[in-house]
Amino acid sequence: PTVIETREISKKYVMGSEVVHALKSITIQINRGEYVAFMGPSGSGKSTLMNIVGALDTPTSGQYILNGKDVSNMTENELAEIRNKEIGFVFQTFNLLPRSTSLENVALPLIYAGYNKADRTERAMQALTSVGLGDRAHHKPNELSGGQRQRVAIARALVNDPSIILADEPTGNLDTKTSYDIMDLFEKLYSQGNTIIMVTHEEDIAEYAHRVVRLRDGLIETDRLNEHIRSVQ
Ligand code: ADP
Ligand code: ADP
């Protein structure tokens, strides 16, 4: 089934007398269980496309259909509800609450989703265990390494069982070895049936995805399957 479908979406930013055509006409379909990397030079429209796919923003024209629902013209409140239900976000800078423990950070989306405390704790522990951090549940971010912080953020993205995981430069703040560890984790999530979309400008990171979409000047330049899909370890 199709999770994401954009139909000729464009995005224009108006700044005074200047109009920036950040996306020109993007038509793309992504099915459940795909692992896609968006690549492209700075200014090619990656962030703008991610913001639309993540229901953080709406296109100027064209349609965006997420799980069969037309998201293109939703209000900010409707978009917020879609985000909470459907999307797990992973950021370059982790975006964890510094005074909260791993468990509290991971449980946060479940508060908005209306789970009671016992269920929140149980689900958050499960998510932490699934990223290999069951023994760090009561640590705060500053007591964790960069890779561990990103794992907490990934557990938080997973805890609501979202339709898609959107990762914006997920290895941008990590050293090489830790970056590969995080990619191994993504590969595991992918093999478990999760749909993953990541933005990266690093070729060796994009190689982990099974499909690579390259943007240039607000258009899709190429969209192809990675030749060497890695063997599952
Ligand atoms: P990338 O993520 O590939 O670097 P962006 O989507 O951030 O590309 O930007 C695409 C183009 O749109 C760039 O020219 C950028 O300067 C412009 N742009 C992005 N966001 C805004 C904004 N909020 N206001 C004005 N221009 C923007
Ligand atoms: P990234 O490092 O993910 O490519 P960018 O530097 O492109 O991020 O953009 C960071 C944020 O600033 C984004 O939310 C984007 O929409 C916004 N932005 C990018 N370019 C401009 C611009 N020219 N004017 C205003 N906002 C912009």
Side-chain angles (χ1 to χ4, degrees):
T2 304
V3 179
I4 282 171
E5 183 176 2
T6 72
R7 296 183 188 151
E8 298 184 4
I9 55 174
S10 78
K11 183 73 182 180
K12 291 179 187 171
Y13 295 107
V14 180
M15 292 165 60
S17 59
E18 199 198 342
V19 178
V20 179
H21 217 151
L23 297 178
K24 287 168 185 162
S25 176
I26 302 283
T27 298
I28 193 170
Q29 239 180 311
I30 297 175
N31 292 328
R32 186 181 301 159
E34 281 201 272
Y35 182 4
V36 184
F38 287 156
M39 294 204 77
S42 183
S44 59
K46 302 183 299 293
S47 302
T48 303
L49 184 57
M50 283 295 270
N51 287 346
I52 292 172
V53 167
L56 291 158
D57 202 355
T58 51
T60 309
S61 66
Q63 278 180 306
Y64 173 34
I65 292 135
L66 174 60
N67 273 325
K69 264 175 280 181
D70 192 336
V71 179
S72 330
N73 297 305
M74 285 192 173
T75 64
E76 183 44 50
N77 282 343
E78 291 169 329
L79 289 177
E81 197 181 323
I82 293 278
R83 284 199 295 275
N84 288 335
K85 272 223 292 261
E86 311 276 0
I87 299 163
F89 291 96
V90 176
F91 305 93
Q92 178 173 359
T93 50
F94 321 136
N95 290 17
L96 300 173
L97 298 176
R99 293 174 190 281
S100 301
T101 65
S102 305
L103 190 69
E104 289 162 349
N105 269 287
V106 173
L108 199 62
L110 300 174
I111 295 180
Y112 301 124
Y115 287 90
N116 69 40
K117 176 126 200 224
D119 287 347
R120 294 202 299 267
T121 302
E122 189 186 332
R123 288 181 70 118
M125 265 318 293
Q126 269 172 14
L128 278 171
T129 304
S130 77
V131 301
L133 282 186
D135 58 347
R136 293 291 184 275
H138 303 294
H139 290 58
K140 290 180 181 170
N142 68 2
E143 299 166 324
L144 301 172
S145 69
Q148 289 172 334
R149 288 179 205 182
Q150 193 58 301
R151 281 169 192 273
V152 173
I154 292 166
R156 180 185 55 191
L158 287 170
V159 75
N160 252 343
D161 204 11
S163 330
I164 48 174
I165 296 166
L166 275 189
D168 194 354
E169 299 279 3
T171 60
N173 273 326
L174 303 174
D175 62 48
T176 305
K177 161 81 172 68
T178 310
S179 296
Y180 291 147
D181 291 343
I182 293 295
M183 287 302 104
D184 287 342
L185 175 57
F186 273 29
E187 198 161 291
K188 180 182 133 190
L189 299 177
Y190 163 62
S191 71
Q192 290 169 345
N194 289 287
T195 309
I196 303 173
I197 304 175
M198 71 174 167
V199 169
T200 181
H201 63 269
E202 297 174 86
E203 295 284 347
D204 56 339
I205 294 298
E207 266 179 37
Y208 280 84
H210 89 147
R211 174 179 172 191
V212 179
V213 176
R214 282 172 205 273
L215 301 181
R216 181 175 292 275
D217 296 334
L219 291 166
I220 293 176
E221 185 178 50
T222 61
D223 179 352
R224 56 183 169 230
L225 297 181
N226 252 340
E227 275 164 31
H228 83 104
I229 309 277
R230 283 158 186 265
S231 58
V232 180
Q233 285 135 350

